[in-house]
Amino acid sequence: MYKLNFILLISFSFFELVNAQKTNLAPSKPITDEYFGTKIVDEYRNVENLKDPGTIQWMKDQTAYAYNILKNVPNRKYYIDKRIEFDKRQSFSVSNINVTENDYYFYLKKKPEENVAKVWYRKTFEGKEIEIFDPENYKPENKKKYQINYIKPNYDGSKIAIALTESGKEISEMVIYDLKLSKVLPYVITHCWPSDSGGISWLPDNNGFIYRHYPIIDSNSDLFLKNTESVIYRIGDDPQKLNVLLSKKNNPDLKINPEDFPRVKLPTKNSKYVIGQLSGPVNFKDTYYMPAKDIDKKGQWKLLFKKENKVSDFIIKGDNIIYISEKNQTNAIYSTSLQNPDFKNPAVLVPNIQDEVINSVYSVKDGFIFSSSKNGVEAKLYQYKEGKTESLKLPIPAGDISVATQNDLSNDFWITCSGWKNDSERFKYDFLTKKFVAENLAPIIQYPEFKDIIVEEITVKSHDGLDIPLSLIHSKNIKRNKQNPLIMDAYGGYGYNNSPYFEKTYLLWALQGGIVAIAHVRGGGEKGEEWYRGGYKTTKPNSWKDLISCAEYMVNENYTSPENIAIWGASAGGITIGRAMTERPDLFKVAIIDAGVVNALRMEFTPNGPNNVKELGTVKIESEFKALLEMDAYQHIKKGIKYPASLITGGINDPRVSPWMPTKFAAKLLADNASNNPILLKIDYEGGHGGDIPVAQKYDNLADTFAFAFWQLGHPDYQPKGNTKK
């Protein structure tokens, strides 16, 4: 195989580099599978073997090639320089705020000169802040770069669990910092992933917690993410001796599958019940419960409700469960007794709210708080007390809000308001004045350069006549014409709501004369359960057809033209982007797919695949096989078709989407593409699925996306010398 040496690359001119790639195709050893009488040829199955020397070398060659191309795009550093400038302007940022029952504030704080966040705390909001943990000092002998991806203090703030990961692996290990002793305790809880497991639940005595244990943490193992267990850890015990609370082995009567994620939580410190769920990438879960006093007894789990009850969120208040259900296509809040549950005839507390989707419910002393949204982009907040529902006026308009309560014996709660144009702001609700009071731990910074950028929330007709929410971000001075560079972001999976948030990437794009469009396609949760099911398994084509409809709208309304459209998506969004570009390659100039599911037929054969069968389907069922084939972008690449310029990325430590998947897609695209558009494969050898990496690394990756898109869409500031737009 021809090897492309990185040092040799440097001696080529920019355009020689682009042309040189075509001589370095991936090794191909086709395999044919047959499903229900249909033969499927997989030309690059051999690339799935990440230990094969040929595959290893080709991935490294392509990555070196991509890095060299991208680093030579003029003005690439604009994005990095602006983000660093914004960070310095802010002086520091704060995230992961936790407030204990005695008003201790714990949070992650990062200063501009720091690459990772540290743990800080203060006694009361006005108290002096104190740094208590720096991940850069953790295990210095390992010479690894650790990041904190989860924190959770106990109820009285005497101890805090801190989870750390490195190089984007996401799988973590937890340490416990004791504030009274001012040190990390000598116990390390390994094989955990609290940031993706619903977190931990501290026990009422403040000296132990429930977490989920992952027996195998090698993402290349077939047993990775299998047979996980919810366990109790009590401080002082040997962390290697597991006290299992819920697992396939311990609870055979529950018929837990190896890929199910048994999750246990204690809803509140004073909860009478412990809740167990068989979770995973699904909206609705089989859920069990037991008296909290019986937590050390085995085999006490009783069925609370099945996933067919379509319970999306719930709280426990005394002997009652208050829950949001989508059953019978009606989004509402109900209640039933835990002593004698009746999910067929529950009490209706809050009926369906027209044009809104009730998303979450939170317990406070006097009733509960719940949030809703319209089209996923306009947030609402309500209080339920003594049988009455009251709309709470938000302190600022918000596209999205998150709610944090103190405990179920207090009426205190906080909201964080977010939007496409405004930085997140945090407020505490004052029950006496019925007003929100600003309570920001980090300074709120103004960005005058964004003052002329506007947001439009519109709807676009889909191919079958439904209204697709579409968010547009652009300068108010922009004129509609065919030359406007447009980047379209889409996801459409797992019922995820792509809500507004302050994404400086979008605003910087708009600042340079571009238009941003966020297409809220089916498969997401923006319009509730029916919208989600409209892009699920056999209906999945609606996800990319919705994106295509949005792109056509932007062209027809003279916002842009096909030669000026880039589409961008990640993870399950790879299905949406990959199939849009293979179904309508004429409609897009650029496609960017980050760690994307672009080979859906092979997803269930990855470590994370069996759990995702619940969302995507399995090749073992004929109808689902046909659905998987239809959503498989890799299988829809055809020889001789002119495809858009493509930037395909992956992370070598990705625990969710195996890095061979984007590699296979890039290999076939490069071999079959008939256009002169560049096809770049970039594997991050210090990263995973995109998160849990240092800030500098994140900015560098986003700068590649930003520069590649503007380069290919013809922005004059990003054109190499001598290049003209084609």
Side-chain angles (χ1 to χ4, degrees):
M1 181 188 73
Y2 176 78
K3 294 184 179 180
L4 195 61
N5 186 282
F6 180 69
I7 297 175
L8 182 62
L9 277 173
I10 299 174
S11 66
F12 282 108
S13 74
F14 189 88
F15 299 106
E16 287 174 325
L17 283 175
V18 174
N19 293 326
Q21 186 191 31
K22 296 179 181 179
T23 65
N24 186 31
L25 300 180
S28 172
K29 298 178 182 178
I31 287 180
T32 301
D33 296 313
E34 185 170 338
Y35 301 102
F36 305 101
T38 300
K39 291 184 178 180
I40 304 295
V41 178
D42 190 343
E43 295 164 276
Y44 292 94
R45 178 70 61 82
N46 54 295
V47 172
E48 294 181 16
N49 180 8
L50 295 179
K51 295 181 180 179
D52 178 79
T55 297
I56 293 171
Q57 188 62 52
W58 193 79
M59 290 171 67
K60 289 184 176 179
D61 285 349
Q62 291 300 312
T63 297
Y65 170 83
Y67 271 113
N68 209 41
I69 288 286
L70 294 166
K71 299 304 180 283
N72 281 287
V73 175
N75 211 37
R76 175 187 173 276
K77 281 191 87 267
Y78 170 85
Y79 177 82
I80 297 173
D81 292 343
K82 292 300 290 186
R83 289 306 302 259
I84 292 173
E85 176 191 328
F86 291 156
D87 289 348
K88 289 180 178 178
R89 190 184 306 178
Q90 190 174 22
S91 72
F92 65 90
S93 60
V94 167
S95 62
N96 295 64
I97 302 170
N98 288 259
V99 183
T100 65
E101 62 184 11
N102 53 348
D103 287 325
Y104 279 34
Y105 284 63
F106 293 84
Y107 47 91
L108 297 182
K109 177 181 176 181
K110 193 190 80 65
K111 299 176 183 178
E113 66 273 15
E114 297 171 335
N115 211 18
V116 295
K118 303 174 184 178
V119 183
W120 294 69
Y121 94 104
R122 58 176 72 179
K123 298 179 181 179
T124 74
F125 175 68
E126 294 82 11
K128 178 184 177 181
E129 64 174 5
I130 300 170
E131 179 189 323
I132 58 176
F133 187 84
D134 181 352
E136 292 188 321
N137 297 330
Y138 182 66
K139 294 185 177 180
E141 68 278 7
N142 289 354
K143 297 182 178 180
K144 295 181 178 179
K145 297 178 180 178
Y146 289 95
Q147 296 86 41
I148 299 168
N149 63 356
Y150 179 80
I151 60 172
K152 184 66 177 290
N154 60 3
Y155 299 105
D156 66 4
S158 61
K159 300 178 182 69
I160 180 172
I162 304 168
L164 302 108
T165 187
E166 49 98 13
S167 298
K169 293 180 180 178
E170 298 190 79
I171 294 291
S172 314
E173 50 189 63
M174 274 192 293
V175 297
I176 304 159
Y177 187 91
D178 189 310
L179 269 74
K180 293 180 179 178
L181 300 177
S182 299
K183 68 176 185 178
V184 174
L185 299 178
Y187 315 108
V188 179
I189 293 86
T190 61
H191 293 234
C192 60
W193 191 355
S195 61
D196 194 58
S197 304
I200 69 172
S201 289
W202 279 93
L203 300 178
D205 65 2
N206 289 305
N207 283 305
F209 51 80
I210 304 166
Y211 75 98
R212 192 160 77 227
H213 175 82
Y214 292 73
I216 304 297
I217 59 173
D218 178 3
S219 61
N220 295 314
S221 170
D222 290 339
L223 294 176
F224 179 57
L225 304 181
K226 307 291 194 309
N227 300 312
T228 63
E229 309 162 301
S230 274
V231 302
I232 301 173
Y233 176 71
R234 290 187 168 88
I235 296 172
D237 290 349
D238 181 353
Q240 303 304 313
K241 295 180 180 178
L242 303 180
N243 181 7
V244 180
L245 186 56
L246 180 62
S247 72
K248 174 177 168 39
K249 182 179 179 180
N250 274 35
N251 306 90
D253 55 312
L254 301 187
K255 296 181 173 56
I256 300 173
N257 297 314
E259 68 272 12
D260 291 336
F261 291 158
R263 173 189 172 190
V264 176
K265 67 176 181 179
L266 185 67
T268 65
K269 176 183 177 181
N270 301 297
S271 177
K272 296 181 180 180
Y273 300 93
V274 181
I275 304 297
Q277 291 186 311
L278 304 186
S279 65
V282 291
N283 280 359
F284 311 124
K285 308 166 182 67
D286 291 340
T287 300
Y288 302 83
Y289 70 125
M290 71 161 70
K293 60 183 177 61
D294 296 333
I295 196 169
D296 287 312
K297 298 179 182 179
K298 309 302 178 184
Q300 297 294 316
W301 293 106
K302 292 174 59 178
L303 178 67
L304 181 55
F305 55 81
K306 300 287 285 183
K307 56 181 175 291
E308 288 77 14
N309 290 104
K310 295 189 175 183
V311 174
S312 58
D313 195 21
F314 65 91
I315 57 174
I316 305 296
K317 292 188 75 69
D319 288 317
N320 294 303
I321 176 173
I322 296 169
Y323 63 97
I324 303 169
S325 175
E326 309 286 339
K327 199 168 182 181
N328 301 321
Q329 297 183 335
T330 302
N331 171 255
I333 300 180
Y334 305 88
S335 176
T336 189
S337 168
L338 285 170
Q339 295 181 337
N340 186 26
D342 183 359
F343 287 87
K344 291 184 178 180
N345 299 288
V348 180
L349 301 185
V350 181
N352 177 260
I353 303 174
Q354 188 175 0
D355 296 328
E356 294 180 28
V357 177
I358 302 172
N359 297 312
S360 302
V361 58
Y362 310 88
S363 179
V364 291
K365 180 182 177 182
D366 299 327
F368 58 86
I369 306 298
F370 66 94
S371 62
S372 72
S373 63
K374 179 180 180 180
N375 285 342
V377 295
E378 184 181 344
K380 309 281 187 180
L381 190 67
Y382 298 87
Q383 176 188 359
Y384 180 91
K385 180 180 178 182
E386 297 176 348
K388 296 181 180 179
T389 299
E390 178 185 358
S391 177
L392 299 180
K393 183 180 179 181
L394 297 177
I396 59 175
D400 185 44
I401 53 174
S402 60
V403 179
T405 60
Q406 190 166 36
N407 58 58
D408 57 347
L409 299 180
S410 167
N411 282 320
D412 289 342
F413 72 91
W414 294 258
I415 64 169
T416 301
C417 299
S418 305
W420 297 123
K421 263 195 67 175
N422 57 288
D423 208 346
S424 297
E425 294 191 47
R426 183 177 168 91
F427 301 86
K428 184 176 182 179
Y429 187 69
D430 187 324
F431 264 85
L432 294 178
T433 63
K434 294 188 175 182
K435 292 182 179 180
F436 287 97
V437 179
E439 191 177 282
N440 293 296
L441 290 171
I444 300 300
I445 304 302
Q446 300 301 315
Y447 298 89
E449 52 267 86
F450 298 148
K451 65 181 175 60
D452 289 334
I453 293 175
I454 62 172
V455 176
E456 294 182 78
E457 300 292 359
I458 64 174
T459 58
V460 173
K461 288 296 180 184
S462 67
H463 69 98
D464 52 357
L466 299 184
D467 288 331
I468 311 162
L470 182 66
S471 302
L472 300 179
I473 305 170
H474 57 81
S475 168
K476 69 179 183 181
N477 300 316
I478 205 165
K479 291 182 172 57
R480 294 193 190 187
N481 65 62
K482 299 296 184 182
Q483 302 306 312
N484 289 322
L486 168 69
I487 192 163
M488 302 191 72
D489 184 350
Y491 185 73
Y494 302 98
Y496 172 75
N497 189 348
N498 199 358
S499 301
Y501 62 105
F502 189 53
E503 176 51 89
K504 298 186 185 76
T505 304
Y506 295 153
L507 298 174
L508 287 171
W509 179 275
L511 201 62
Q512 293 203 286
I515 301 172
V516 178
I518 300 94
H520 303 280
V521 302
R522 275 172 282 186
E526 285 87 346
K527 299 176 74 171
E529 166 71 359
E530 189 174 356
W531 196 251
Y532 164 49
R533 292 287 170 175
Y536 170 85
K537 291 187 178 179
T538 57
T539 61
K540 190 63 184 172
N542 287 324
S543 296
W544 63 85
K545 290 181 185 295
D546 285 352
L547 176 59
I548 289 170
S549 293
C550 289
E552 290 176 332
Y553 171 88
M554 297 299 287
V555 172
N556 294 337
E557 294 297 316
N558 206 40
Y559 280 98
T560 189
S561 62
E563 276 293 300
N564 289 281
I565 301 177
I567 50 176
W568 181 21
S571 194
I575 296 173
T576 302
I577 304 302
R579 284 298 285 115
M581 69 173 281
T582 50
E583 184 159 310
R584 287 293 307 276
D586 60 306
L587 188 56
F588 311 106
K589 174 62 177 177
V590 176
I592 301 166
I593 304 176
D594 294 326
V597 180
V598 286
N599 189 191
L601 273 175
R602 297 291 297 163
M603 184 63 188
E604 70 181 285
F605 301 102
T606 70
N608 193 30
N611 217 316
N612 280 274
V613 163
K614 302 167 185 175
E615 168 75 15
L616 303 178
T618 173
V619 297
K620 298 173 185 176
I621 299 172
E622 185 173 6
S623 62
E624 295 186 1
F625 153 69
K626 290 180 179 178
L628 285 165
L629 178 59
E630 184 60 27
M631 71 178 79
D632 192 310
Y634 169 81
Q635 286 294 339
H636 280 81
I637 297 172
K638 306 300 180 186
K639 191 173 290 293
I641 300 296
K642 294 182 178 181
Y643 289 107
S646 301
L647 174 59
I648 312 300
T649 77
I652 201 68
N653 298 318
D654 194 336
R656 302 172 188 260
V657 178
S658 297
W660 56 253
M661 190 171 290
T663 302
K664 282 178 67 178
F665 184 76
K668 189 173 183 183
L669 190 60
L670 186 60
D672 292 353
N673 179 34
S675 76
N676 291 321
N677 295 322
I679 308 296
L680 302 185
L681 171 69
K682 190 186 73 169
I683 301 298
D684 188 344
Y685 285 90
E686 295 293 330
H689 200 62
D692 291 344
I693 55 176
V695 168
Q697 192 174 340
K698 290 180 182 178
Y699 289 175
D700 202 60
N701 288 338
L702 283 168
D704 287 341
T705 296
F706 195 87
F708 180 78
F710 264 143
W711 165 38
Q712 287 301 303
L713 296 183
H715 193 294
D717 294 346
Y718 292 82
Q719 302 310 304
K721 188 176 181 181
N723 191 30
T724 56
K725 186 176 176 183
K726 299 179 180 178

